[in-house]
Amino acid sequence: MAAVKSRKREIIAYFRELDRRFFMDSHKELAGLDEALPIGYDQTISQPSLVLEMTLALDLQPDSKVLEIGTGSGFQTALLAEFSEEVYTVERIKELHGRAKERLKEAGFKNIRFQLDDGSMGWQEFAPYDRIMVTAAASTVPAELLDQLNVNGKLLIPVGTPAMQELTLLEKDADGKVTSTVLNYVRFVPLKGKYE
């Protein structure tokens, strides 16, 4: 239990040091606000407190293999990569994919793989994943993502209508049985593709 508390403290400390402005091309003067801000292409950089909440909810381990759906600015990706062994991140918008890739390489991360694709289908090539985080809202949990989740894995996804979603944590036990818990009510941009 002490190790869990210690890791939580490490994540919070790193989060506080992470400069949100580095991940933004505009509105940098608003980076200190605890709210989602536009990053272009009808996308946003998430509210910092929610980014931290979601990171902690995944219970990342040093050997975790993580799939992130929606690279966006790369802000959330940096947190995942700092506390996991490998991160596989998928972004469907070419310009955001390119900028995030540049930023995260500039920041020194070497454990991130990037893909430009429809994230709603996951990234089958490197499955299974110990943790999956989706940073866009789906109308229902994509079956493809559940299939790509390892046993004893956790999947975090906003599920609902464009107006409001339930931030849902799905956990797959050793027998492959999935249980779900609603952690919060959130509002994310929609997950484009099959599960809009």
Side-chain angles (χ1 to χ4, degrees), residues 67-71 89-93 115-124 129 132-148 155 157-158 189-196:
L67 174 63
E68 179 189 39
I69 305 302
T71 315
T89 185
V90 185
E91 174 58 54
R92 68 179 182 84
I93 298 169
Q115 186 180 52
L116 179 64
D117 205 357
D118 171 12
S120 67
M121 308 304 285
W123 194 346
Q124 181 61 49
Y129 302 95
I132 299 176
M133 180 183 284
V134 184
T135 60
S139 58
T140 185
V141 179
E144 291 83 356
L145 296 184
L146 274 177
D147 289 344
Q148 292 173 34
L155 164 60
I157 182 170
V189 296
L191 179 68
K192 297 292 185 182
K194 185 176 173 182
Y195 294 92
E196 272 184 75

Side-chain angles (χ1 to χ4, degrees), residues 165-181:
Q165 305 104 34
E166 295 178 335
L167 182 60
T168 306
L169 180 67
L170 297 108
E171 300 178 81
K172 186 184 282 190
D173 70 15
D175 298 319
K177 183 185 172 195
V178 176
T179 55
S180 69
T181 309

Side-chain angles (χ1 to χ4, degrees), residues 15 29 32 54 57 72-74 95 104 118 141 148 155 157 170 188:
F15 167 79
E29 71 283 1
M54 289 174 68
S73 67
E95 293 80 3
L104 291 160
D118 171 12
V141 179
Q148 292 173 34
L155 164 60
I157 182 170
L170 297 108
F188 277 82

Side-chain angles (χ1 to χ4, degrees), residues 10-116:
E10 284 176 32
I11 291 171
I12 292 170
Y14 180 77
F15 167 79
R16 286 179 177 155
E17 289 172 12
L18 196 58
D19 186 356
R20 195 180 183 211
R21 290 172 302 177
F22 177 72
F23 300 92
M24 299 168 66
D25 291 320
S26 61
H27 306 290
K28 291 190 181 203
E29 71 283 1
L30 303 175
L33 298 178
D34 190 31
E35 60 185 58
L37 295 169
I39 56 171
Y41 313 97
D42 293 323
Q43 303 298 299
T44 59
I45 183 170
S46 294
Q47 179 181 345
S49 60
L50 184 56
V51 169
L52 178 60
E53 178 188 346
M54 289 174 68
T55 305
L56 292 172
L58 267 193
D59 185 30
L60 299 167
Q61 300 302 311
D63 62 351
S64 288
K65 182 180 177 183
V66 181
L67 174 63
E68 179 189 39
I69 305 302
T71 315
S73 67
F75 183 55
Q76 177 71 77
T77 319
L79 266 170
L80 296 174
E82 182 68 19
F83 295 96
S84 308
E85 187 169 330
E86 300 173 288
V87 173
Y88 296 78
T89 185
V90 185
E91 174 58 54
R92 68 179 182 84
I93 298 169
K94 185 177 180 181
E95 293 80 3
L96 294 180
H97 164 82
R99 287 291 294 120
K101 195 172 182 178
E102 283 174 18
R103 284 189 189 109
L104 291 160
K105 287 190 172 176
E106 185 185 330
F109 288 102
K110 293 182 170 59
N111 63 335
I112 306 172
R113 289 190 188 226
F114 300 85
Q115 186 180 52
L116 179 64

